[in-house]
Amino acid sequence: MEMKLSHPKIQQLSSSVKARLQSQITLNTYGAAVREVIQNSIDAGASQIDIKLDLASLSFWVKDDGVGIPPDELERICQRYFTSKLRRLEDLTSIKTFGFRGEALHSLASMSNLTIVSKRADFNSSYITRFTGDGNSNIAFPFDMSNREENPVNDFFYFEPFRSSGTIVTASSLFQNIPVRRNNMLRLPEYNLLHEVKEVVLKSLIDHPNVRITVWELNKGSQTSKKVLKVNRVFGNLNWYSNLLTSIYGSSLLPTHEVVNASFKDIKMHGVIGLQPNQSRKYQYISINGRLVQVSEEDSKTINKIFVGCNFGGQQLNLTDFTDHKKRVSSVGKPFSKYPVFLINFECKTQSGDLLQDPSKTIVHPRQWRVLFKMLNKVFISFLKHAGYDLQLNRKVISSPTPSPTKRMLEEPTDILPLKRSSAASRFILNSNSRFGSIKSDEIRGMLLNSDRPGYFYKPVNIKSSKTNESHLTASISCHLHKCSEDDDIRRINTMSEYPDAVDLENISLKKECLHEDNCRVVLQLYKKFILVVIESEGTKNLMIIDQHACDERIKVENLYMTFLHQVYDTDLRVKLAQPFDLSVPGEEIEYLTAFRPNFNSFGIDFETHETDGRVHITHLPELLIEKIANDAQFLRASILQHVWDLALHRKSAKLTGSPADWFQKIKDLPGIIVEVINSKACRSAIMFGDLLEMKDMQNMVKCLHRCQLPFQCAHGRPTITPLADLSKQN
């Protein structure tokens, strides 16, 4: 007998299930919940907002002096799609408030214990209503705020009486009916939750200089509270944006700045740009009519390339932190990034499509972005010119080669090197004082046909001839210059294809094991710059050239890394400074420094933080850094903050696990300044061009290179070995 499958009927979800599902879409973080209440207060005309945070229990309290909510509306305030701000879709083009959906408080009531107390100026009494996590509320009833015994919450969230009108919203045990989400939130460091709230305050106040906000944080252990930020009202927009940034993140974020203004047709732009760089792109804000724009990664890179291209921060540094202005650290590598700090707000006609893109009220794809982006670029260029920077906007900005192994290098085999070098490149490098990371064929052709020595050009070595052998090739390399006249036909050659006997080495590859002494034979030293070797492996025989400086640099840098990381595991690297460095640091980064202090200690860096005045005293440094830093406090500050952001953004691991035997895998987690110093030290101490080497010295170098973890590049990413010819097919 065939059984019929029963299909469930399509039916509407219950109200409680719908509320639960929708609440996770609208509000999914602690900061998002606080944001909705703050912005409701601003929409209600509040000029003063007080916020209290209990991060340990995911609870908060917000009081404002807005117009208040009448009792009959208080009972409906958390019902979905109930709002006083929108009637028709056409109203979106003229809307001035943050909210209009009628969803935020409904979602908040569905995931927390929510209590709302409000008073209108035309009512004698305050009214209270409570929501219990299912979105349903009791009726609003009068509430005597002066009677402390009737206060339903603890002392920290005490309902203080209103002067005339206002609203108090208390949300406790956020995400209580979404246990996985709540547990994830509780596992986050409290400073992360606090940073969310700080950013919410900034985003909410961009277009509201007439609102004062004060935020307090509860210390659950001591039952005391501390003020974490206060943004005062500013009448007039001239200094509002700088006041907003410094009030939230500290004055050290924006010690000096320029106010910028621009207009195009009916679009106006106002903002502020800092003159001192920061090590993170976090402090870059662009908004339209007070609503933040989510700038794409591509556009963000384009903006920052304008600043990188003119070495922003390299010419003008804040000198207030220098103890010795005359001596500054020079750096070949890139131990820290230099990003501009800015807050830009556009005033233009509201596009209804912009307001419907994201429940967080962020604009993801602005309709006028093409025009606004061009305005931004012109303003940034004008700012840099006015600040005295030499703009080289047509220069292609390329980041420095990675000096230490990246995560990808550690996950993939490091003992195989694809060698793609044309024979022309090989011949050119023999008579060059340069070392190349990569050479383009166009460059090689130009170098071959436009030698610095008049009347000379590099003539290709014919190694496909039946007479060619290893000794003949070696001799040919030593006499590869050929005299010719200015009108020689060879001068007109402009493509490598016109060399019919040039050797194609594109497919040659080399494994680390090929450098073993059984497979690699040293032939001779060339021009006191290179080591000529013959490598035989897996039926192939290749003539290779080793850069003696790059080779020795790789050997030394790995020894230095291994020695330092063994010390990290086994000893205390901290050396007390005779004169501590006193640095001014933004409050948010001070909190990160405090959280990551054990990581800094493991590398020999120690400090004392003073959050009240935004100062950090560097008291200890490893011996490796003391000589490098000298008296350049600004360089030290940037280097330390770079590591802070590398840890905060999980680019580096904050926990030093494993053992000294894992030293190579731990290089990627070293502070950038330590990587820079070790690389520089290896480079300076390595064998140089012009140093004469005995045969035994060259053989020993090749043996040591074979033992390296990453033998095919120097500390700065340049190749240590280059192919010259494939000898396996020769007679």
Side-chain angles (χ1 to χ4, degrees), residues 562-595:
M562 182 172 63
T563 301
F564 181 78
L565 282 161
H566 273 72
Q567 292 174 343
V568 167
Y569 280 98
D570 299 334
T571 62
D572 186 351
L573 294 173
R574 291 177 295 179
V575 177
K576 189 173 183 179
L577 300 174
Q579 180 65 42
F581 287 95
D582 181 24
L583 309 179
S584 176
V585 176
E588 183 174 15
E589 291 164 322
I590 287 182
E591 292 161 3
Y592 278 132
L593 273 169
T594 303

Side-chain angles (χ1 to χ4, degrees), residues 421-439:
R421 181 80 68 203
S422 69
S423 58
S426 304
R427 288 191 299 279
F428 170 76
I429 201 171
L430 289 174
N431 204 42
S432 168
N433 289 323
S434 303
R435 300 189 307 280
F436 294 89
S438 62
I439 306 178

Side-chain angles (χ1 to χ4, degrees), residues 72-311:
D72 58 327
E73 293 184 9
L74 195 60
E75 296 175 3
R76 302 195 302 270
I77 192 171
C78 289
Q79 294 182 29
R80 192 178 180 193
Y81 301 138
F82 275 69
T83 179
S84 61
K85 302 163 186 174
L86 187 69
R87 293 291 178 267
R88 302 172 304 160
L89 198 60
E90 292 78 10
D91 296 340
L92 282 174
T93 56
S94 59
I95 200 163
K96 301 296 182 183
T97 59
F98 282 107
F100 54 83
R101 297 170 181 266
E103 290 184 318
L105 288 179
H106 167 77
S107 296
L108 187 57
S110 301
M111 61 172 64
S112 68
N113 293 324
L114 185 67
T115 303
I116 302 177
V117 179
S118 191
K119 182 181 182 301
R120 295 273 294 192
D122 52 347
F123 279 73
N124 293 325
S125 178
S126 301
Y127 284 79
I128 186 171
T129 186
R130 297 186 181 92
F131 301 82
T132 57
D134 56 4
N136 297 319
S137 69
N138 299 319
I139 62 172
F141 58 89
F143 177 64
D144 184 5
M145 300 181 70
S146 62
N147 187 347
R148 198 172 185 86
E149 294 182 359
E150 291 188 19
N151 201 309
V153 292
N154 58 39
D155 290 340
F156 184 58
F157 287 162
Y158 179 70
F159 290 151
E160 302 166 350
F162 299 107
R163 290 185 179 180
S164 175
S165 64
T167 301
I168 298 176
V169 177
T170 304
S172 60
S173 301
L174 209 61
F175 307 112
Q176 62 179 354
N177 47 13
I178 313 172
V180 175
R181 176 67 54 79
R182 179 173 173 82
N183 289 335
N184 286 338
M185 290 288 116
L186 290 173
R187 278 196 290 266
L188 289 173
E190 290 190 0
Y191 60 79
N192 277 357
L193 300 177
L194 186 59
H195 294 170
E196 281 185 22
V197 174
K198 287 183 176 182
E199 189 147 297
V200 161
V201 171
L202 182 138
K203 294 175 181 178
S204 301
L205 291 183
I206 289 175
D207 208 26
H208 297 278
N210 59 330
V211 179
R212 176 193 294 138
I213 288 185
T214 308
V215 180
W216 300 80
E217 179 190 1
L218 173 68
N219 185 320
K220 202 74 171 179
S222 62
Q223 289 299 310
T224 59
S225 61
K226 66 174 181 178
K227 186 189 298 182
V228 293
L229 73 85
K230 182 177 183 179
V231 182
N232 286 316
R233 291 190 292 266
V234 172
F235 298 98
N237 289 335
L238 183 60
N239 296 314
W240 169 239
Y241 300 119
S242 59
N243 174 72
L244 183 58
L245 285 170
T246 55
S247 296
I248 294 174
Y249 297 119
S251 58
S252 60
L253 178 68
L254 209 66
T256 54
H257 64 274
E258 290 286 345
V259 175
V260 293
N261 297 284
S263 62
F264 175 73
K265 295 184 177 179
D266 59 342
I267 302 173
K268 295 181 180 180
M269 192 204 79
H270 308 284
V272 62
I273 307 174
L275 290 167
Q276 179 172 309
N278 190 271
Q279 281 61 62
S280 171
R281 288 188 292 175
K282 170 184 168 60
Y283 306 109
Q284 298 181 350
Y285 301 99
I286 299 170
S287 63
I288 299 175
N289 299 324
R291 292 175 182 265
L292 206 70
V293 175
Q294 183 178 311
V295 181
S296 69
E297 182 68 17
E298 182 181 353
D299 288 342
S300 177
K301 287 181 178 179
T302 300
I303 289 171
N304 283 286
K305 278 184 178 181
I306 297 174
F307 288 83
V308 172
C310 67
N311 191 26

